[in-house]
Amino acid sequence: MNAQISLIQQIDHLLPQTQCGLCGHRDGCLPYAKAITEGEAANKCVPGGQPVADALARLLKRPQLKAEPSAWPIQIDGRPQQMKAVIREDECIGCTKCISACPVDAILGAGKLMHSVLSDLCTGCELCIAPCPVDCIDLIPDPQPLPSEQLRIAQQNDLRARYYAHIQREEKRRLDRTGPVVRAEINTQLFAQLTQNDAHTPHIEVAEKKRDLLATFDTKSTIELAKLRTQIKKLEKQLSVRDDATKRALLQDLQQQLHALGA
C-alpha cells in the first residue's frame, strides 16, 4: 500500500495542478494520479500536454501516447497556451459563484460587490466560467514568458498547497452548507489518506470526524445538563415544603456543577 501511495504522489508531482477536471476527474489532479496507478491512460492531462504525457510514460514504463488535444495553441515547450481568466468588472453582479468554483482561491470579491481575478494565481482551469449567470468572464492568453522548469515546479507546489487549503476550508464548511455546491463533490477521505505521509504536501484532515466527536460531546453535555436541571428542580420543590440541611448542601453542589457547564 505504501508503494502505491508513493507512486501516486510521484505521478501527482508531475501533473500541473490546475485542478481543472479536463482529465475526467473533477475533484483535482490527485484522484487522476490514483486512477493512473489503477490502469487509466496517462495521456489525459490536457494542460500538461505532451511533456506531461511523456514524463508519465517514462515514470510508469509504459508506451508513450499522444496527449489529449487542447482547445488552445501549442507553445514551443509542447504545452498548450496558458490562459488566464478575466472578469469584465462593470458587468459583474457579485453573485460569488465564481469564487466558490475557483479551486485555488484566485478570485477576490464579496456578495453584491465587484469581483477580480488574481492573475498570478489563476490556472486557466475554466471552472469559473460555467457558473457565471451573466457570462462576464473571459479567458485570455497569459502574457508572461514561459517559466523555467524550476519555476514551474515551484508554481505547481504552490498551486497544490492552495488547492489543499481550499479543500480543507470547504470540508469544514461542507456539513453546514445550505446553498448549492458549485464544484464537484470532493473525495476528502482520499486526499486525507494520500497526503498524510508526504512531507512536501499539506495534510488534509476530514472535518466530519471532528464534527462527529463534537456532536458526541454536545450530546453528552445536553444529557448531563438535563439531568442536573431535573435534580435541581426536584430538590427545590422538596425544600420549599420542608427545609433539610443535607438536601440544601446537595442543591448548592448541583447548582455549581450547572454553572461550571456554562448553563
Side-chain angles (χ1 to χ4, degrees):
M1 185 63 180
N2 288 338
Q4 184 190 15
I5 290 176
S6 176
L7 181 58
I8 292 170
Q9 290 169 346
Q10 291 178 64
I11 294 171
D12 182 61
H13 280 270
L14 291 175
L15 297 173
Q17 304 305 311
T18 54
Q19 320 299 346
C20 61
L22 292 175
C23 60
H25 296 270
R26 287 296 306 275
D27 49 353
C29 297
L30 191 65
Y32 177 44
K34 179 177 182 291
I36 289 174
T37 66
E38 296 169 348
E40 191 162 325
N43 66 331
K44 295 183 178 181
C45 179
V46 175
Q50 200 61 50
V52 168
D54 292 345
L56 289 173
R58 288 193 296 270
L59 172 66
L60 299 165
K61 296 180 173 57
R62 294 182 186 177
Q64 290 188 342
L65 300 173
K66 185 176 180 180
E68 290 285 336
S70 171
W72 311 114
I74 302 301
Q75 304 172 127
I76 59 174
D77 65 351
R79 297 169 184 256
Q81 168 70 54
Q82 174 70 54
M83 306 299 288
K84 299 286 185 179
V86 176
I87 295 175
R88 298 193 300 277
E89 296 176 350
D90 57 334
E91 299 177 31
C92 175
I93 61 173
C95 70
T96 74
K97 290 184 178 180
C98 60
I99 294 177
S100 300
C102 181
V104 293
D105 299 326
I107 303 177
L108 292 179
K112 299 182 181 179
L113 296 175
M114 179 186 70
H115 300 349
S116 295
V117 177
L118 300 174
S119 181
D120 290 346
L121 298 177
C122 177
T123 67
C125 69
E126 306 181 32
L127 292 174
C128 60
I129 293 178
C132 179
V134 293
D135 195 23
C136 69
I137 304 176
D138 298 317
L139 287 172
I140 63 171
D142 184 2
Q144 298 298 320
L146 294 177
S148 64
E149 188 61 23
Q150 184 178 9
L151 179 57
R152 186 188 304 282
I153 292 172
Q155 290 173 340
Q156 289 178 185
N157 290 339
D158 180 62
L159 289 172
R160 183 186 297 106
R162 292 186 66 82
Y163 182 49
Y164 289 6
H166 177 88
I167 289 175
Q168 187 70 86
R169 187 180 66 254
E170 288 298 303
E171 172 64 11
K172 289 176 180 178
R173 293 175 178 173
R174 181 173 61 87
L175 296 176
D176 297 321
R177 187 187 298 278
T178 55
V181 177
V182 178
R183 278 193 55 80
E185 186 71 24
I186 295 172
N187 185 352
T188 317
Q189 294 281 359
L190 173 65
F191 280 87
Q193 177 189 12
L194 298 181
T195 60
Q196 60 185 346
N197 296 320
D198 187 352
H200 303 290
T201 300
H203 176 50
I204 304 295
E205 295 182 2
V206 182
E208 192 165 2
K209 292 181 180 179
K210 293 183 177 180
R211 176 67 174 270
D212 289 343
L213 290 173
L214 183 60
T216 301
F217 175 78
D218 288 345
T219 300
K220 289 180 178 178
S221 298
T222 302
I223 293 172
E224 290 299 322
L225 287 171
K227 286 181 178 179
L228 282 172
R229 289 192 179 107
T230 300
Q231 288 177 287
I232 288 170
K233 286 182 178 179
K234 188 179 291 186
L235 283 169
E236 287 174 340
K237 186 175 182 179
Q238 291 172 354
L239 288 168
S240 68
V241 176
R242 184 180 294 108
D243 192 34
D244 183 284
T246 302
K247 289 182 179 180
R248 188 165 295 282
L250 178 58
L251 175 62
Q252 291 177 349
D253 181 59
L254 293 176
Q255 288 173 333
Q256 289 176 357
Q257 291 183 41
L258 189 66
H259 179 71
L261 288 172

